[in-house]
Amino acid sequence: MAIDMNVFRGFAEQIKMLPQMARPTDCPDNERVKHAKAIFSTKIDASNATQLESCVHCGLCAEACQFYIQTEDPELTPIHKLDLLKRYYRREKAPLRWLHRLIEPDITEADLEATQHLVYESCTECGRCGLVCPMGIDIAAMVHVTREGLAHAGLIPAGLRAVEQEQGSRGTVFGVGPDQLRQAADELRAKGHEVPIDKDKADVLVLTSTIDVLLFKDALEATVKVMNHLGLDWTIHSCAFEGANFGLLSGYSEVQKSASERITSQAIALGARMVIVPECGHAYPALRWAGANAHGAPLPFEVMALSEFLGREVMAGRLQLNPIGADKHVTYHDPCKIGRHGGVFDEPRAVLQALGVDMREMPSNRTANFCCGGGAGLFVMEKAEPMRNAAFDLKRQQVEATGAGSVVTACGSCRINLMAGADRTHWGTRIESLVELVGDNLK
């Protein structure tokens, strides 16, 4: 089902309005540094301290970052984005901190504000820099620690803050709550699909996302078709359907925990053995790994990304598809959080193979894949637009090198950023959802 570009452009205009909807933060101006330092102090353990000590200044991380590659701006070198955190470490935690206090200035509020652009608007925490670091420094994880410090200092960019505040206060994202979910389900029922909502018990809890309810309705419909096709005992639950976690994206841990726990508690109440995360990149690590930390115990259910689930079912022979044919030339864009961070590479490719399409890999693929540029919340940050555009331009070159007429992905944020770039540059390549292709070709 083709996406109505007028609806898409309307959604993009709504995103531009987000900064006006953000409420002022609760953190007084004169306490921002104190709050940031408190987070840094908690987060810098022996492992993180070792990583902050380990940089050998080789510059390889710069050559791995799509933003540096596209701009050649030394300020965007990934390791440079940790300077604020490193300064705190040297002055407050390092063995020679007494010496560093003599030669390095203390952190100021101006330093925090200057870092906002580096760790929010110029980094998607894609992890490609950490992949090439010879010292094994997980730069993306350190950037996230810095985000956490800025978030508790009240310095989340306004667009991202608006959505995080909405999810934290009302439990909705972009205004989508249980009523909008039920309306979307009714639309699918009118098309003949069975859509179970709020069952008391179910083997599988299926999450969706606001983006799929509002914009990518093809992905939601395809997910419903797949679950019914497999004959699973499944449900969507109106109290816990949103997979997106804007607390994780912003770095505000209270909202991250509450959004994650809402899902975990509902899955336990259902007796679910599996929770399936929708086509949303960051929703996957937010529940699969960070979810246990928020819950305080191992999760008593399996968490699977939708693309991972589809691939597993295909490889087990339970999900059989009608081949589309080799006349359809596609390439696959690995969402960073599902692919490089989650290791889900073979499953989506198994699905494409089962569909019989002509699959063509980009020059950089799988672990080396370049980010779309909209991850980690950049797609809702107005000031991040130049970075998003720069990343798209690189991705476009990679796609065009394959000669494919379609780029398939399994993340709504990636899809939005690629569609926005295609619309901006009048690019004719199709941007498609993996589950949409599956739903359209069930045997």
Side-chain angles (χ1 to χ4, degrees):
M1 182 177 74
I3 300 301
D4 186 332
M5 288 307 296
N6 288 327
V7 174
F8 177 80
R9 290 170 187 136
F11 184 77
E13 288 302 312
Q14 283 187 325
I15 289 177
K16 292 179 181 177
M17 301 294 290
L18 287 173
Q20 301 171 34
M21 300 166 62
R23 300 191 303 276
T25 60
D26 295 330
C27 186
D29 289 349
N30 59 358
E31 293 189 7
R32 295 190 193 280
V33 172
K34 181 177 74 174
H35 285 271
K37 283 184 172 182
I39 294 297
F40 294 161
S41 177
T42 301
K43 298 292 181 179
I44 297 179
D45 54 15
S47 174
N48 288 343
T50 301
Q51 296 196 59
L52 291 172
E53 291 271 17
S54 299
C55 180
V56 294
H57 307 286
C58 65
L60 286 176
C61 61
E63 300 301 328
C65 174
Q66 70 269 23
F67 298 139
Y68 175 81
I69 292 171
Q70 290 296 83
T71 65
E72 297 186 347
D73 181 352
E75 288 289 309
L76 301 184
T77 301
I79 199 69
H80 172 62
K81 297 169 184 175
L82 306 187
D83 281 359
L84 184 75
L85 195 62
K86 283 195 289 187
R87 198 199 313 172
Y88 171 81
Y89 163 73
R90 287 168 179 158
R91 285 183 52 89
E92 307 296 338
K93 297 273 191 177
L96 295 178
R97 51 189 176 274
W98 60 270
L99 176 61
H100 287 292
R101 286 173 183 164
L102 296 176
I103 58 178
E104 289 198 81
D106 199 359
I107 291 173
T108 67
E109 186 173 329
D111 294 326
L112 297 178
E113 292 175 353
T115 303
Q116 188 185 52
H117 173 67
L118 297 177
V119 298
Y120 280 110
E121 294 154 356
S122 304
C123 181
T124 62
E125 301 179 13
C126 76
R128 199 170 189 270
C129 50
L131 185 73
V132 302
C133 176
M135 303 306 293
I137 302 173
D138 189 347
I139 298 173
M142 296 294 158
V143 164
H144 192 71
V145 169
T146 308
R147 277 194 179 197
E148 288 182 282
L150 296 190
H152 287 79
L155 291 172
I156 303 169
L160 180 58
R161 187 168 76 241
V163 190
E164 177 259 304
Q165 288 175 336
E166 180 194 346
Q167 189 168 25
S169 61
R170 298 200 297 272
T172 61
V173 175
F174 295 121
V176 173
D179 291 343
Q180 291 74 21
L181 173 69
R182 293 191 184 96
Q183 182 179 346
D186 287 342
E187 291 175 6
L188 294 177
R189 288 171 181 141
K191 298 171 73 172
H193 302 299
E194 182 181 349
V195 187
I197 291 184
D198 294 345
K199 290 170 63 174
D200 292 332
K201 296 291 179 183
D203 284 344
V204 181
L205 174 62
V206 175
L207 307 182
T208 182
S209 77
T210 293
I211 290 175
D212 286 353
V213 172
L214 287 178
L215 184 61
F216 297 142
K217 297 183 178 183
D218 54 353
L220 178 58
E221 181 176 3
T223 303
V224 168
K225 290 166 68 175
V226 169
M227 297 302 146
N228 290 337
H229 180 80
L230 290 170
L232 297 173
D233 174 22
W234 70 284
T235 191
I236 298 173
H237 206 286
S238 60
C239 293
F241 67 88
E242 180 60 71
N245 189 321
F246 279 84
L248 174 69
L249 297 180
S250 71
Y252 198 58
S253 52
E254 284 79 359
V255 173
Q256 177 186 344
K257 182 176 180 180
S258 64
S260 178
E261 265 300 282
R262 184 178 297 115
I263 297 168
T264 299
S265 299
Q266 192 59 60
I268 292 173
L270 286 167
R273 61 176 175 80
M274 183 190 301
V275 176
I276 296 179
V277 176
E279 288 194 331
C280 177
H282 81 274
Y284 184 55
L287 186 63
R288 182 153 187 172
W289 293 290
N293 293 331
H295 186 56
L299 300 180
F301 49 80
E302 190 175 15
V303 178
M304 299 197 81
L306 184 53
S307 58
E308 182 181 21
F309 172 75
L310 295 173
R312 189 181 74 168
E313 294 301 296
V314 164
M315 288 188 276
R318 292 186 290 267
L319 182 59
Q320 297 186 359
L321 304 174
N322 290 315
I324 296 174
D327 290 340
K328 185 177 179 68
H329 312 295
V330 310
T331 188
Y332 182 72
H333 166 70
D334 289 283
C336 300
K337 299 298 193 303
I338 300 173
R340 188 159 38 247
H341 289 259
V344 180
F345 297 115
D346 293 337
E347 292 86 348
R349 287 167 174 80
V351 172
L352 292 172
Q353 183 178 11
L355 288 168
V357 297
D358 175 29
M359 169 66 183
R360 303 177 178 186
E361 295 284 7
M362 282 181 258
S364 299
N365 59 74
R366 293 183 177 249
T367 54
N369 188 51
F370 281 105
C371 177
C372 69
L378 264 72
F379 78 101
V380 296
M381 298 181 207
E382 190 175 34
K383 291 182 180 177
E385 183 176 1
M387 293 294 102
R388 293 196 302 268
N389 292 345
F392 170 80
D393 292 342
L394 177 58
K395 178 59 64 177
R396 175 175 173 167
Q397 294 170 18
Q398 294 263 307
V399 172
E400 290 181 342
T402 70
S406 171
V407 55
V408 179
T409 190
C411 170
S413 297
C414 296
R415 203 173 168 192
I416 286 176
N417 205 52
L418 294 174
M419 286 180 64
D423 196 40
R424 174 178 61 87
T425 60
H426 307 289
W427 194 39
T429 299
R430 286 177 61 85
I431 316 297
E432 297 186 278
S433 146
L434 184 71
V435 71
E436 175 197 5
L437 290 178
V438 171
D440 288 344
N441 295 282
L442 293 169
K443 184 171 283 184

